[in-house]
Amino acid sequence: MERLAGAAVLVAGLRGLGAEVAKALVLAGVRAVTLHDVAAAGPADRASQFFLVDSNMGQNRAVASQRHLAELNSHVLVTAHTGELSESFLASFQVVVLTDSPLEEQLRIGDFCHSRGICFIVADVKGLAGQLFCDFGKPFVVCDPTDTDPVCASVQHISQGNPGIVTCAAGEEGRGHLFSDGDMVTFSGVEGMTELNGQEPCPVRVLDAFHLEIGDTSSFSPYRCGGLVSQVHLRQERLYEPLRKALVKPKIQVSNPEDLPRSRSLHMAFQALHAFRKEQGRLPRPRAQGDAERVLELARSLDEQQGPLDEQQSPLDEDVVRAFASVSAGDLGPMAAFVGGLAAMEVLKAASGKFLLLDQWLYFDALECLALEGAAQLTEEDCAPSGSRYDGQIAVFGADFQERLGHQKYFVVGAGAIGCELLKNFAMMGLAAGTGGNITVTDMDTIARSNLHRQFLFHSADISKPKSEVAAAAVKCMNPDIKVTAHQNQVGPATELIYGADFFKRLDGVASALDNLETRAYLTNHCLRYLKPLVDSGTEGTRGNVLAMVPHVTKALGSASDPVDKTFPLCTLRHFPQTIEHTLQWARDEFEGLFRLPAENVNRFLVDPTFLEHLEARKALEVLEQVRRSLQERPRDWQDCVHWARRHWQSCYHDTISQLLLTFPPEHEASPGVAFWSGDRRCPHPLTFDPDDDTHVDYVMAAAHLFAQTHKILARGDRAAARESLRNLVLAPFTPQEGLQIHIMEERQEVQEAVDQGQLAELAQELARWRRELVEAEETQIPIMEPIHFEKDDNFHVDFVTAASNLRAENYGIRCADWLTSKRLVGRIVPAIATTTMAVAGLACLEIYKLVWGCQDRSCYRNSNLCLSDSLLLCIQPLPPPTYRYGQKEWSCWDRLEVQGVGADGQEMTVRELLEWLQRVHGLPVTMLLHGYTVLYDREQDEETWAQQQAQRLSESLEGAGELRPRELELQYVCEGEEDEDEDACPPLVCYLP
């Protein structure tokens, strides 16, 4: 970030692509962005240029965009330049980006930048294809890769010797390092052998997948395994050719070698397009066959002049060139967003020296959109411009499709970083901008300051306002015709009255931008249930993915692509932490156990004490003891909260550690001659509270504030007064607990002692008496406590977790983490980056084009995974829906059985009538019928029971289980001979009740 803050960047060309690049750079926080354009804004620019409004028509595009960009980040100097791009002017920049510029201009500026060592980037989008070129100067050094890169490995050990041996830890997928002999590496975070940190790059020799040989370490200090992971990084130096040479001998980066022939054909197609534009003074007319053939002729000529790069080079793919040329006059917002995200990421790499660099060309296309049924039949007349803001889109998909886009009804779940980008793209596309169209966007969150660097629809004045409302208002300014309805609801069982059958049936599709796996799974199930297409998007730092789920065409989104949540053994967290991640997880658990769960249990007990009857006896006793403790600890004022926090500090960081050391003294042996406190077990030491230690007071202040909030007491922030109070507070001395057992291994099954029912009853009676007193007290408000849910953007929450974690780290001699690092780790947050969200939203909207078209051809859809830190993109066809078989019948996950739940008497069906219908119509002999966890029929019961079950009407069974009568009843069932693992062999049954 320091290096970024010193970079000055020129972005030339302020149509949609240039606006996307500039937006990302301003949000990222470079020092200065200069905008350059010589053309005036016209209606066609609004196909993808989201900063332009009606009043900007006729103004210079750079000047019109400058104010909007400057408002995104007050720390970035944003200026507009409308004059010549002279060499003296260019010399003041570290990075120069050209978008939508003539080839002659690219070559002139490229030669100058290469000669001066200025990083030079060319980005271009034409219709459904994009081009990116980078010349980072000679030589360019990547000085700060990260642990997400394949050129970084975590260090497990480094030996003293000549040569020294580096042992690398296995990565998440079990792989070792990816270094090669002779690679130059640097080290960071090494403890003990600190001489390696910051040392000049040294060469490595690869021994195997986990071991590297480095230079002489025999005189260095012994390596010590510390609390933070030490790493070995590749120092990347690469020579780059100037654009003039790279055009003729291109180095094209692809994720799959099979994609190289297509990219080479696009390389020739873009050059041919420049030649056509120079020859004709315009781009090819949309769907004009003669123009497309002329571009193909020019591409053939250029291909013959330049000759093959090698003997294996494939011939020019003429179909790709022809398709590219036929829609090259198009201007699509999603394409500008995707290529703009990639281009901006390369600028950030150039300015910061971070991540792997693009080497040197990258091509992307979505020409599969032209294979949509009926798309090939579009004529020049269908795609002709009409002076509309959508002319750039009509040039690709035709006027009829534009009208269809306007009628769409879409549900956008999430108005965060990706959600904002989706809404912006929808405004540019004209989705829901016509008669009957509507977008419903919901997000229960409000805007925090930390959102501003990645969600460009939000500004400082919007902090604390609902995200969905602000985002909806912003995109309406971009396109006044778009219809957006903003909600502040969570999507889940609690909001099914809002987002139920009637709501989903009206939709044409759903776009999700969620970071919550539970909500994502719930949304997926609803789209399955109501047969609605879903486009799911997600990012993790520089990585992103887009998945398309199309009814009856693709498989449903499942858990296979979900990230695995990292968990730690409880015994490690409780007694034997080794890293800062362990102490942070312990602190996060403390937060839940102190400020959320007790309040929830107290409130639930006061409102409905019978909930305990549904709990297992041991759990009920645990809850009752927690309720009693919370009621006993109820503070009267702020002073009580401070004293409570101080007592809890003593319990956690002194008494508990002292008890552990009594059980396992420092000299304790695990077995004869083997020290207990060795290897992964760090021997702790108790802390003594010091009111002059900032971390100690940080903990007390944060804990006291949160404790006060849970008890609805006004908190005070007088730190000096709190220090004085803490100095005068005297606590009881530590009293050891005799016979206390401490588990040193993770138990698979714990032997539970029987619960004393008398103790349970006595405790329940005591609390029932307290409850009556509280309920009868007129001044007491029920619920009396406020549960606090951890929020990564709440400073008090992060303050507590950071202090709690660092104090525990101090107990165990683990290196502490600062506030920002703690926030990132404890929230399991990989910071969102504007470049990634732009690219992912662009890819998602390309899939939405296909859905709106009504495409039923799976080969046209793409599931995409990208990694901008490595400039890699992998697009594959989604898998077909798996089929399940029962008897002679075959089903997929999209199939449903539907029945009108009206019996022979004209009333609601009985269970028996439904079973007979399943047997008669579908040949399904059902042995069990369920609605969720409610059993409507079970043939394993005795005859009298299942006779009663069969005689009941469907809703009567639900009412007996305390459920409300629904209009639609989704039922699951088990058939005769159906194995447990074949639970999906039969489709769900939807019964419409009268």
Side-chain angles (χ1 to χ4, degrees):
M1 290 304 297
E2 289 177 358
R3 288 191 288 268
L4 276 182
V9 184
L10 170 68
V11 179
L14 262 294
R15 300 189 71 202
L17 177 57
E20 293 281 7
V21 175
K23 174 195 72 180
L25 299 180
V26 172
L27 290 173
V30 299
R31 177 174 63 82
V33 175
T34 298
L35 313 172
H36 174 264
D37 207 313
V38 296
D45 293 323
R46 301 185 69 188
S48 59
Q49 223 288 26
F50 42 89
F51 288 131
L52 299 178
V53 295
D54 286 339
S55 59
N56 296 135
M57 297 300 99
Q59 294 179 6
N60 180 278
R61 289 190 293 234
V63 173
S65 304
Q66 184 272 334
R67 179 179 61 83
H68 300 286
L69 284 161
E71 289 175 350
L72 295 180
N73 191 339
S74 60
H75 300 289
V76 178
L77 176 64
V78 182
T79 57
H81 176 71
T82 58
E84 180 189 359
L85 293 180
S86 63
E87 292 185 354
S88 59
F89 178 74
L90 294 169
S92 61
F93 298 99
Q94 282 76 53
V95 187
V96 172
V97 185
L98 300 187
T99 68
D100 193 37
S101 57
L103 181 59
E104 292 76 14
E105 182 85 341
Q106 295 175 14
L107 292 171
R108 178 183 70 83
I109 294 176
D111 288 342
F112 174 77
C113 288
H114 188 81
S115 68
R116 294 295 185 92
I118 298 172
C119 297
F120 176 63
I121 295 173
V122 174
D124 204 355
V125 170
K126 291 292 182 286
L128 287 166
Q131 174 193 65
L132 185 59
F133 168 78
C134 298
D135 173 9
F136 290 100
K138 51 179 185 180
F140 191 91
V141 177
V142 178
C143 50
D144 188 20
T146 67
D147 57 0
T148 59
D149 293 327
V151 289
C152 177
S154 297
V155 174
Q156 197 171 59
H157 184 263
I158 305 173
S159 69
Q160 287 176 295
N162 187 11
I165 305 299
V166 179
T167 303
C168 298
E172 290 186 7
E173 300 174 359
R175 64 169 175 79
H177 65 78
L178 293 178
F179 296 109
S180 302
D181 283 342
D183 280 345
M184 303 296 288
V185 302
T186 58
F187 291 84
S188 66
V190 176
E191 293 189 37
M193 197 177 287
T194 55
E195 295 90 341
L196 285 173
N197 294 327
Q199 192 182 56
E200 286 298 309
C202 63
V204 296
R205 178 170 169 269
V206 175
L207 300 180
D208 57 37
F210 295 94
H211 295 89
L212 301 168
E213 206 175 75
I214 57 174
D216 186 358
T217 61
S218 57
S219 62
F220 292 174
S221 307
Y223 178 82
R224 179 165 60 86
C225 181
L228 294 177
V229 178
S230 54
Q231 296 175 328
V232 54
H233 308 278
L234 174 69
R235 181 179 173 90
Q236 183 194 29
E237 294 191 22
R238 185 175 284 164
L239 295 178
Y240 286 86
E241 297 292 351
L243 176 62
R244 195 175 298 274
K245 288 185 178 180
L247 272 175
V248 181
K249 298 292 183 182
K251 289 187 289 184
I252 302 175
Q253 186 161 317
V254 292
S255 300
N256 187 334
E258 295 177 359
D259 297 333
L260 189 56
R262 187 179 187 90
S263 291
R264 283 175 170 163
S265 295
L266 286 170
H267 182 74
M268 302 310 303
F270 268 94
Q271 291 184 67
L273 189 67
H274 281 296
F276 180 95
R277 197 172 191 174
K278 183 178 180 180
E279 175 185 277
Q280 302 289 331
R282 59 173 176 84
L283 289 171
R285 288 185 294 271
R287 307 284 177 162
Q289 186 176 350
D291 285 357
E293 290 300 325
R294 178 55 184 156
V295 172
L296 179 57
E297 289 174 11
L298 292 167
R300 288 186 190 126
S301 176
L302 287 166
D303 191 39
E304 291 173 1
Q305 292 173 24
Q306 295 181 8
L309 295 177
D310 51 59
E311 294 180 0
Q312 288 76 37
Q313 180 171 327
S314 301
L316 184 71
D317 189 329
E318 298 191 353
D319 289 338
V320 167
V321 177
R322 192 180 287 111
F324 163 78
S326 70
V327 294
S328 58
D331 183 10
L332 303 178
M335 285 295 300
F338 174 73
V339 177
L342 268 62
M345 192 69 217
E346 296 305 315
V347 175
L348 299 183
K349 294 177 188 179
S352 67
K354 195 174 184 73
F355 302 125
L356 286 173
L357 305 169
L358 174 63
D359 187 27
Q360 283 187 268
W361 292 93
L362 185 143
Y363 286 92
F364 170 78
D365 76 87
L367 292 172
E368 70 275 2
C369 291
L370 300 183
L372 300 172
E373 185 178 356
Q377 284 70 50
L378 289 173
T379 65
E380 189 174 346
E381 183 180 351
D382 295 327
C383 302
S386 61
S388 161
R389 67 175 295 156
Y390 306 118
D391 278 352
Q393 197 162 253
I394 291 171
V396 178
F397 294 108
D400 290 345
F401 178 75
Q402 188 61 49
E403 187 174 347
R404 194 184 312 171
L405 275 169
H407 299 327
Q408 294 297 296
K409 297 179 181 67
Y410 257 73
F411 187 28
V412 179
V413 186
I418 299 176
C420 284
E421 289 291 333
L422 287 173
L423 290 170
K424 176 262 296 177
N425 288 346
F426 290 167
M428 297 298 98
M429 294 160 62
L431 189 82
T435 304
N438 185 70
I439 296 169
T440 301
V441 55
T442 187
D443 195 311
M444 63 186 297
D445 205 0
T446 55
I447 298 167
R449 185 169 297 279
S450 61
N451 300 141
L452 303 184
H453 78 279
R454 59 185 181 271
Q455 297 167 9
F456 84 107
L457 298 184
F458 307 151
H459 300 86
S460 298
D462 300 320
I463 291 174
S464 298
K465 295 179 182 178
K467 286 184 176 180
S468 57
E469 287 187 2
V470 174
V475 297
K476 285 178 182 177
C477 292
M478 295 177 181
N479 186 346
D481 294 330
I482 193 171
K483 285 90 173 175
V484 187
T485 304
H487 291 179
Q488 291 85 53
N489 304 315
Q490 186 175 19
V491 175
T495 54
E496 283 196 4
L497 290 177
I498 302 171
Y499 309 121
D502 291 341
F503 177 82
F504 270 86
K505 286 180 177 178
R506 290 195 298 266
L507 296 176
D508 293 299
V510 178
S512 71
L514 294 162
D515 57 4
N516 182 301
L517 294 180
E518 185 178 350
T519 306
R520 177 178 179 267
Y522 177 88
L523 193 61
T524 298
N525 289 335
H526 263 53
C527 289
L528 270 170
R529 178 175 180 177
Y530 298 110
L531 303 180
K532 298 300 176 183
L534 169 66
V535 177
D536 181 72
S537 312
T539 66
E540 285 185 328
T542 62
R543 299 175 183 270
N545 69 283
V546 174
L547 303 172
M549 187 175 89
V550 188
H552 302 294
V553 176
T554 72
K555 74 184 291 284
L557 305 185
S559 58
S561 60
D562 295 342
V564 177
D565 189 22
K566 296 180 183 176
T567 58
F568 304 109
L570 286 178
C571 61
T572 298
L573 297 180
R574 288 173 182 165
H575 308 300
F576 311 117
Q578 303 149 27
T579 68
I580 198 67
E581 287 83 0
H582 293 156
T583 65
L584 280 165
Q585 183 60 56
W586 176 87
R588 181 72 172 80
D589 294 343
E590 275 277 286
F591 185 99
E592 297 292 312
L594 293 174
F595 309 121
R596 182 177 69 85
L597 295 175
E600 288 179 347
N601 286 330
V602 167
N603 291 342
R604 196 170 181 188
F605 176 77
L606 293 176
V607 173
D608 178 23
T610 61
F611 87 95
L612 293 166
E613 297 172 4
H614 305 292
L615 300 179
E616 181 263 334
R618 177 165 295 280
K619 182 65 177 175
L621 180 62
E622 179 185 322
V623 170
L624 283 174
E625 288 175 339
Q626 188 181 69
V627 170
R628 178 171 64 176
R629 188 163 57 250
S630 295
L631 293 175
Q632 287 173 336
E633 291 177 338
R634 284 187 72 197
R636 294 164 299 178
D637 52 28
W638 167 247
Q639 184 87 337
D640 284 351
C641 296
V642 173
H643 289 175
W644 171 88
R646 171 65 181 88
R647 288 193 300 273
H648 197 73
W649 187 103
Q650 190 74 9
S651 172
C652 289
Y653 305 112
H654 181 274
D655 296 355
T656 302
I657 301 299
S658 298
Q659 182 68 47
L660 180 62
L661 290 175
L662 281 174
T663 307
F664 303 110
E667 66 277 6
H668 184 71
E669 293 185 345
S671 59
V674 178
F676 179 83
W677 296 106
S678 63
D680 290 339
R681 291 199 192 112
R682 292 169 171 266
C683 185
H685 66 280
L687 304 182
T688 301
F689 186 81
D690 180 359
D692 294 319
D693 188 305
D694 285 340
T695 304
H696 294 198
V697 179
D698 286 346
Y699 175 91
V700 171
M701 293 298 288
H705 269 87
L706 294 167
F707 191 64
Q709 183 181 338
T710 62
H711 289 279
K712 303 183 179 180
I713 287 176
L714 180 64
R716 297 202 299 268
D718 191 337
R719 195 176 179 93
R723 281 187 196 270
E724 195 60 33
S725 174
L726 293 170
R727 289 185 203 279
N728 298 327
L729 182 63
V730 178
L731 301 182
F734 166 64
T735 303
Q737 294 178 261
E738 298 296 333
L740 181 68
Q741 289 189 345
I742 295 177
H743 295 287
I744 63 172
M745 296 181 65
E746 186 73 7
E747 302 290 344
R748 287 180 176 268
Q749 293 182 339
E750 294 184 4
V751 178
Q752 303 283 2
E753 296 180 4
V755 173
D756 186 334
Q757 294 296 329
Q759 178 190 3
L760 184 60
E762 183 180 339
L763 182 56
Q765 289 174 4
E766 177 188 351
L767 290 175
R769 185 173 65 255
W770 284 11
R771 177 181 178 276
R772 284 195 300 273
E773 294 173 358
L774 286 167
V775 172
E776 291 169 2
E778 292 182 4
E779 71 275 8
T780 302
Q781 294 183 345
I782 305 296
I784 66 170
M785 294 184 71
E786 178 185 337
I788 303 176
H789 294 267
F790 181 80
E791 171 54 55
K792 65 181 183 294
D793 292 319
D794 189 301
N795 286 353
F796 273 123
H797 298 192
V798 181
D799 286 348
F800 172 82
V801 170
T802 301
S805 169
N806 285 341
L807 287 167
R808 189 160 176 83
E810 190 178 342
N811 276 139
Y812 284 88
I814 296 170
R815 194 194 310 173
C816 297
D818 61 29
W819 192 89
L820 284 172
T821 301
S822 299
K823 175 180 177 176
R824 177 174 58 83
L825 292 175
V826 78
R828 296 182 178 86
I829 305 162
V830 180
I833 302 175
T835 52
T836 316
T837 57
M838 289 162 51
V840 162
L843 291 171
C845 289
L846 289 173
E847 299 310 302
I848 288 174
Y849 279 138
K850 303 164 190 176
L851 293 173
V852 175
W853 192 277
C855 176
Q856 295 295 300
D857 183 354
R858 184 171 57 87
S859 67
C860 290
Y861 289 98
R862 297 291 182 268
N863 284 346
S864 302
N865 287 279
L866 60 91
C867 181
L868 296 190
S869 60
D870 302 338
S871 308
L872 296 177
L873 171 68
L874 181 63
C875 298
I876 60 174
Q877 293 180 22
L879 295 173
T883 55
Y884 307 99
R885 180 182 295 275
Y886 181 82
Q888 299 301 311
K889 292 183 176 291
E890 233 180 41
W891 323 87
S892 84
C893 60
W894 292 101
D895 288 313
R896 298 285 181 276
L897 301 183
E898 296 182 335
V899 61
Q900 296 297 324
V902 180
D905 59 358
Q907 302 297 311
E908 182 185 306
M909 260 187 179
T910 63
V911 171
R912 177 183 289 108
E913 287 176 313
L914 181 60
L915 296 173
E916 290 172 350
W917 179 85
L918 285 166
Q919 176 72 63
R920 182 179 68 255
V921 177
H922 295 284
L924 298 174
V926 174
T927 60
M928 182 178 284
L929 187 67
L930 307 98
H931 174 66
Y933 293 106
T934 302
V935 178
L936 279 65
Y937 167 71
D938 184 358
R939 202 172 69 182
E940 295 299 317
Q941 301 288 336
D942 58 79
E943 287 190 24
E944 183 179 350
T945 300
W946 46 275
Q948 292 174 352
Q949 290 176 335
Q950 291 186 53
Q952 283 189 314
R953 299 196 186 275
L954 295 172
S955 61
E956 289 175 350
S957 302
L958 301 182
E959 291 165 4
E963 298 187 40
L964 297 176
R965 183 182 187 276
R967 291 167 55 190
E968 291 183 12
L969 194 60
E970 183 167 339
L971 302 172
Q972 297 79 38
Y973 51 93
V974 178
C975 291
E976 191 175 283
E978 189 178 349
E979 301 295 334
D980 290 341
E981 60 268 22
D982 295 331
E983 59 181 16
D984 293 321
C986 296
L989 167 64
V990 179
C991 186
Y992 301 99
L993 301 182

